[in-house]
Amino acid sequence: DQQVKQNSPSLSVQEGRISILNCDYTNSMFDYFLWYKKYPAEGPTFLISISSIKDKNEDGRFTVFLNKSAKHLSLHIVPSQPGDSAVYFCAARGSSGGSYIPTFGRGTSLIVHP
Amino acid sequence: NAGVMQNPRHLVRRRGQEARLRCSPMKGHSHVYWYRQLPEEGLKFMVYLQKENIIDESGMPKERFSAEFPKEGPSILRIQQVVRGDSAAYFCASSPTGQDEQYFGPGTRLTVT
């Protein structure tokens, strides 16, 4: 039973346009959400996070939006660059009772075409 | 400040052999996590350790798998009597406390022939 779902295995975008990666979760106890980026043959690197007390967090070209009622979050990359081509993992965790271990989605492979 | 180190990067074992995967956390980090990624899958949590203690091993198979994080030296993930289904990428992550973002190593790709 997948508690964190990334329903799009891949996404193809033109350089300069917006990339939107989506993530859905089912566990109401999750209140902290993270995005990781992974290049081939490397480990995931932390990109951006958002707490459930917010509905938006922005860091440069990356913005994460959280819709708690829909249990949905999305990562926006504007403008997209070829170097953004990677697999993006959504992760979610709780923040009480020691539940700090994130649950990961299966990832979305983003390809940004020059 | 060196990142999380994992070795070996690639490991080939025949069925029935033992695999030992090593992870050195970032300097100052005393919390270590092991994850497994099967092909076309996300990262699956296996075990969470803090120096000399296993905090959470709920994701670890009950048999053949063990993990340790001794007072001195790297964390070790040990897989005894490997089977083909153990072929995967194994990632280690560390954090300074148990509540911060985790920093991942480059992974060890285990192939069982």
Side-chain angles (χ1 to χ4, degrees):
Chain A
D1 178 33
Q2 278 187 278
Q3 296 188 66
V4 177
K5 298 179 184 178
Q6 293 178 256
N7 290 321
S8 297
S10 63
L11 176 67
S12 185
V13 170
Q14 204 68 33
E15 181 179 7
R17 306 293 288 268
I18 184 171
S19 295
I20 301 176
L21 296 94
N22 293 303
C23 178
D24 297 291
Y25 62 96
T26 57
N27 191 333
S28 300
M29 299 302 291
F30 290 151
D31 58 8
Y32 193 75
F33 306 89
L34 311 95
W35 285 94
Y36 282 83
K37 176 179 179 180
K38 184 183 179 304
Y39 292 118
E42 294 184 13
T45 55
F46 169 72
L47 195 57
I48 192 169
S49 63
I50 187 166
S51 164
S52 61
I53 61 174
K54 293 185 172 183
D55 54 20
K56 176 184 174 181
N57 189 26
E58 191 172 350
D59 183 2
R61 296 185 298 114
F62 302 90
T63 303
V64 56
F65 295 91
L66 175 62
N67 182 335
K68 281 177 291 185
S69 61
K71 293 191 177 70
H72 176 83
L73 62 154
S74 59
L75 175 67
H76 293 210
I77 306 174
V78 182
S80 301
Q81 299 173 353
D84 295 330
S85 297
V87 177
Y88 289 78
F89 290 100
C90 170
R93 64 170 171 83
S95 55
S96 62
S99 303
Y100 299 107
I101 296 168
T103 299
F104 286 83
R106 293 191 174 189
T108 295
S109 177
L110 173 66
I111 299 171
V112 180
H113 297 282
Chain B
N1 185 15
V4 178
M5 311 282 283
Q6 288 189 251
N7 69 81
R9 293 294 307 274
H10 300 274
L11 182 61
V12 179
R13 284 288 177 265
R14 290 200 196 96
R15 278 178 297 171
Q17 290 185 319
E18 179 180 287
R20 280 188 180 232
L21 289 65
R22 294 175 189 77
C23 169
S24 296
M26 285 181 71
K27 190 175 180 181
H29 289 193
S30 60
H31 297 253
V32 165
Y33 310 79
W34 285 93
Y35 294 86
R36 175 165 66 175
Q37 185 182 22
L38 295 167
E40 310 302 325
E41 300 260 339
L43 294 153
K44 300 290 186 186
F45 166 74
M46 298 182 75
V47 61
Y48 164 33
L49 309 103
Q50 192 183 359
K51 279 291 185 182
E52 299 185 271
N53 292 306
I54 296 175
I55 308 299
D56 184 344
E57 55 181 349
S58 59
M60 193 111 91
K62 293 287 184 281
E63 297 178 353
R64 303 189 298 108
F65 286 72
S66 62
E68 62 177 12
F69 189 16
K71 189 176 180 182
E72 301 290 337
S75 175
I76 307 282
L77 179 67
R78 184 180 175 209
I79 311 172
Q80 295 178 289
Q81 299 173 328
V82 296
V83 300
R84 289 235 171 94
D86 296 333
S87 295
Y90 291 83
F91 292 96
C92 166
S94 73
S95 70
T97 72
Q99 303 176 29
D100 301 291
E101 283 76 33
Q102 298 174 9
Y103 295 82
F104 282 82
T108 294
R109 273 145 189 84
L110 172 66
T111 301
V112 179
T113 60

